[in-house]
Structure formats: structure tokens, C-alpha cells
Amino acid sequence: MFAGDWFPIQVKQQNRVGRPDIDAFEAVMEREDRARGFFVAFGYTGDAEAEAAAFWKRTKRKITLISVQEILDEQHVQRLGDRRNGGPRALGSGPDEVGLP
């Protein structure tokens, strides 16, 4: 990765992130001249989702809203695929607690 090729990421340990959090993230994206960013939380209000969509329409800068559940689901699917292919076992499934074969 090149020094100028990075994406802002914000992680909030909140059940429902609201529009003010998205507004603040937008300001960072504009100040740092980033075209894409990622926001991770347990969930989002409708206003937060609408603001992320409106930001895209106004600026063509994309904020991808990711829920923790989506991450967990994706990791779960990946672990199942790894196990079927002889790769690392899921954490906590045996003596290798770090998931190494």
C-alpha cells in the first residue's frame, strides 16, 4: 500500500450510531480528501444511514456502514471454509487457541 492510499475507519462501541457521528466522520473524510471510508458499529439509526447516502450524492465520497454482526458472520463463514479445506480451526475448537493448524 502506498502512503497516500489509505481509508479512514471509525469504530464505535455503540448499539445505534446516529447522524452526528456520521457528520463528524464526513468532516474527517473531507479534511483528509478521502473518497472512501468505513464506519463500524453495532447498528445505525435511519438518520445515520440516510446521511451516509446523502453524503455520497452530494460529494461522491462513499461511507460504507458495517455492522459488527456482518463482520462476525463473514468471519464465521471464512472459518468454516478454512476448516473444510484443512486450514486453521475456529478459535476455541481445540488446543491451538490462536487458530493455528
Side-chain angles (χ1 to χ4, degrees), residues 24-57:
F25 191 67
E26 290 172 359
V28 170
M29 288 183 63
E30 289 178 329
R31 182 177 60 242
E32 297 296 328
D33 195 27
R34 299 290 101 191
R36 184 173 187 130
F38 298 89
F39 204 112
V40 180
F42 290 106
Y44 301 90
T45 64
D47 285 347
E49 292 171 348
E51 180 54 32
F55 185 61
W56 165 253
K57 286 181 182 178

Side-chain angles (χ1 to χ4, degrees), residues 75-87:
Q75 288 178 349
H76 177 71
V77 169
Q78 182 64 42
R79 282 196 304 256
L80 289 176
D82 287 346
R83 287 174 47 196
R84 288 188 185 123
N85 295 322

Side-chain angles (χ1 to χ4, degrees), residues 51-88:
E51 180 54 32
F55 185 61
W56 165 253
K57 286 181 182 178
R58 272 193 324 271
T59 67
K60 298 303 182 216
R61 297 174 193 261
K62 174 79 172 151
I63 299 174
T64 300
L65 303 178
I66 304 170
S67 74
V68 171
Q69 189 61 52
E70 289 173 305
I71 293 170
L72 294 174
D73 289 348
E74 180 64 27
Q75 288 178 349
H76 177 71
V77 169
Q78 182 64 42
R79 282 196 304 256
L80 289 176
D82 287 346
R83 287 174 47 196
R84 288 188 185 123
N85 295 322

